[in-house]
Amino acid sequence: MKPSIALIAMVFVALTPLSLQAAGPSVPLDQVEVDVTDQTSLQRGARMFFNYCVGCHSAEYMRYNRLGRDLGLTENQVAESLIFTTDEQGEPVGTGSLITNAMMPVYAKEAFGVVPPDLTLVSRVRGEDWLYTFLRSFYLDDSRPLGVNNAVYANVGMPNPLWELQGWQEKQVGADGETHLQVVEAGSLSGPEYDRAIRDLVTFLAYLGEPMQIDRQRIGMYVLAFLFVFLVLAYLLKKEYWKDVH
Ligand code: HEC
């Protein structure tokens, strides 16, 4: 039986990495370097995430206590500074809980037109540069229901949750004839400070998408050390076995 062209084409499509399909943004993305082993950056990013994002988004493939362990926080610190969600009895959820959010999907749909997606794996779907640029590209736009739009994600349903930090931007045509986003009303952070805060947040999202990457490097060193010791032992053993043969 000959496989049909359609079948071969389907296999090709299935094998194409997701990131390739999601690529091709109309605006060039700003590059960001994140270091998930930088624990203080991760902690600052986590603080932003829990202050500004979990009201709408969940990260429900991650538990609070795992997060606390990886970020160097005690159980108490996790309970006091990260947990804002409560259970049916109104008690704060335990540190073993998944990071869900309190917003009812029905309400979210009414308010934003779409349910805010879970963000656990968003860094793997969108990539770090996309997130970094997206979170810095909100601008005022009267034609939108919430009065804001985004240069990277046109007609996005999300308002800018960080406007107090960034201020408000507008689209303006610069002297070079290109459109730029220009801050027209300052926020509490300067431009470079805001960029740094977003880098921390993206670092946290990158960690969230693949928590093992923190341990991978350390484990890799142990594995190499083990292989080296094993190599020496194997060599000595080989010498021992072959010494009478010659
Ligand atoms: C007021 C509610 C709200 C808050 C707060 C909020 N978001 Fe959103 N977010 C949304 C909604 C709604 C969407 C879906 C937008 C759409 O698809 O049009 C969204 C979409 C996104 C997306 C795009 C996901 C994708 O791949 O399509 C990212 C990334 C994101 N949010 C990150 C964040 C981060 C980071 C924060 C915290 C700084 C945050 N959001 C805070 C409502 C919110």
Side-chain angles (χ1 to χ4, degrees):
M1 194 184 75
K2 266 205 296 191
S4 71
I5 305 267
L7 189 69
I8 295 173
M10 265 161 64
V11 170
F12 262 104
V13 171
L15 292 178
T16 314
L18 242 176
S19 56
L20 267 184
Q21 288 172 30
S26 52
V27 286
L29 298 180
D30 299 331
Q31 314 274 309
V32 64
E33 286 284 325
V34 301
D35 175 11
V36 291
T37 60
D38 179 349
Q39 209 171 52
T40 49
S41 170
L42 271 182
Q43 288 174 350
R44 286 192 302 263
R47 180 145 33 115
M48 286 190 71
F49 184 77
F50 285 95
N51 281 332
Y52 295 104
C53 316
V54 278
C56 293
H57 292 280
S58 56
E60 60 186 24
Y61 303 104
M62 174 58 89
R63 290 181 193 278
Y64 288 101
N65 51 7
R66 161 94 199 247
L67 195 73
R69 245 187 346 261
D70 286 348
L71 267 58
L73 302 173
T74 65
E75 287 263 319
N76 272 346
Q77 283 172 320
V78 171
E80 278 165 21
S81 52
L82 301 187
I83 298 187
F84 299 116
T85 31
T86 50
D87 59 17
E88 281 115 46
Q89 279 79 42
E91 296 287 320
V93 297
T95 52
S97 305
L98 295 167
I99 304 174
T100 51
N101 71 350
M103 188 176 282
M104 306 284 287
V106 181
Y107 167 75
K109 188 121 201 195
E110 205 160 289
F112 310 112
V114 276
V115 179
D118 186 87
L119 292 185
T120 323
L121 298 173
V122 74
S123 65
R124 291 169 66 173
V125 179
R126 295 291 195 176
E128 287 139 19
D129 292 345
W130 189 91
L131 289 171
Y132 179 69
T133 316
F134 168 69
L135 291 166
R136 288 155 54 257
S137 299
F138 287 94
Y139 64 92
L140 294 170
D141 180 354
D142 289 338
S143 69
R144 299 293 304 151
L146 299 170
V148 277
N149 209 332
N150 192 290
V152 176
Y153 189 150
N155 300 336
V156 70
M158 170 169 147
N160 184 3
L162 301 169
W163 65 271
E164 285 170 312
L165 306 181
Q166 187 186 24
W168 290 112
Q169 299 190 116
E170 258 177 19
K171 233 180 190 172
Q172 287 177 357
V173 181
D176 51 2
E178 302 275 325
T179 42
H180 299 281
L181 296 182
Q182 190 74 42
V183 175
V184 288
E185 201 185 307
S188 60
L189 299 183
S190 71
E193 281 170 346
Y194 184 70
D195 288 353
R196 207 167 330 130
I198 296 300
R199 196 184 61 205
D200 291 336
L201 181 56
V202 173
T203 307
F204 177 73
L205 291 172
Y207 152 77
L208 208 56
E210 210 183 347
M212 258 313 273
Q213 57 186 317
I214 290 186
D215 293 326
R216 202 184 292 142
Q217 211 170 351
R218 190 173 46 83
I219 294 172
M221 293 310 280
Y222 286 134
V223 172
L224 285 182
F226 168 78
L227 286 178
F228 182 72
V229 172
F230 188 74
L231 178 77
V232 173
L233 284 178
Y235 178 70
L236 292 176
L237 200 63
K238 180 235 166 216
K239 265 181 63 171
E240 183 66 22
Y241 276 161
W242 286 83
K243 69 171 190 270
D244 303 328
V245 176
H246 300 294

